[in-house]
Amino acid sequence: MSEIKIYETHSMEETRELGRQMGTAAGPGDVLTLSGDLGVGKTVFTKGFALGIGVTEAVSSPTFTIVQEYHSGRLPLYHFDVYRIGDPEEMDEVGFDDYVYGDGVSLIEWAELIEEILPEKRTRILIEKDVEKGFDYRKITVEKL
């Protein structure tokens, strides 16, 4: 049975802080998937998450490299952006299973594109805008599967 929590943030700083709190609580082997439209704040959340793990290097979206590795924190962080993946089998080329079933933390943007190869046990995060509630408002749904 899954557990769902809903958070509301009203600024990039609040979204980053929620990510930081979740990074602080992350453990070895955790897999988090991030979904949401372009520009909704997935990378802002990820930067906060990396801070929570203790990553000291600059975090950027790995759109063209598929995965960025960060080893300066208390756990390795593997940040995936699979937006450009045409077929989930392409993930074999980057050693996807070694990352997600290893001792680090995997954070995967656009994970719905590779749904069939994701581990069953993971945390699904959906970030949504609602401009009627403000330009910087975000509804962040966190579901532990």
Side-chain angles (χ1 to χ4, degrees):
M1 182 165 182
S2 66
E3 172 191 334
I4 298 175
K5 291 184 180 176
I6 296 175
Y7 301 89
E8 294 181 304
T9 64
H10 298 87
S11 67
M12 287 176 54
E13 292 77 22
E14 287 182 13
T15 300
R16 187 180 304 110
E17 175 59 18
L18 177 60
R20 189 196 64 74
Q21 291 172 13
M22 290 186 70
T24 299
D30 284 356
V31 176
L32 296 91
T33 62
L34 275 174
S35 298
D37 293 336
L38 281 169
V40 80
K42 293 183 296 293
T43 301
V44 169
F45 178 92
T46 300
K47 288 179 178 185
F49 190 89
L51 283 173
I53 287 181
V55 170
T56 56
E57 60 256 67
V59 173
S60 61
S61 186
T63 302
F64 297 101
T65 57
I66 301 176
V67 63
Q68 292 274 30
E69 296 184 28
Y70 301 97
H71 294 279
S72 60
R74 63 181 173 82
L75 295 167
L77 174 61
Y78 309 119
H79 179 202
F80 292 86
D81 183 331
V82 299
Y83 184 73
R84 300 197 182 287
I85 292 294
D87 186 317
E89 290 180 11
E90 292 177 43
M91 296 303 289
D92 289 341
E93 295 171 21
V94 297
F96 183 71
D97 285 353
D98 294 334
Y99 289 109
V100 299
Y101 295 108
D103 292 331
V105 176
S106 296
L107 202 150
I108 308 164
E109 295 187 36
W110 299 100
E112 61 274 12
L113 299 174
I114 59 167
E115 185 78 33
E116 58 266 34
I117 64 169
L118 294 173
E120 281 186 34
K121 185 179 182 227
R122 64 185 185 272
T123 300
R124 188 178 357 203
I125 301 167
L126 173 63
I127 304 176
E128 301 170 285
K129 288 183 186 181
D130 184 344
V131 290
E132 290 182 12
K133 292 187 177 187
F135 180 76
D136 290 325
Y137 171 87
R138 300 294 184 266
K139 175 182 172 187
I140 302 172
T141 305
V142 178
E143 180 179 14
K144 290 188 183 230
L145 301 176

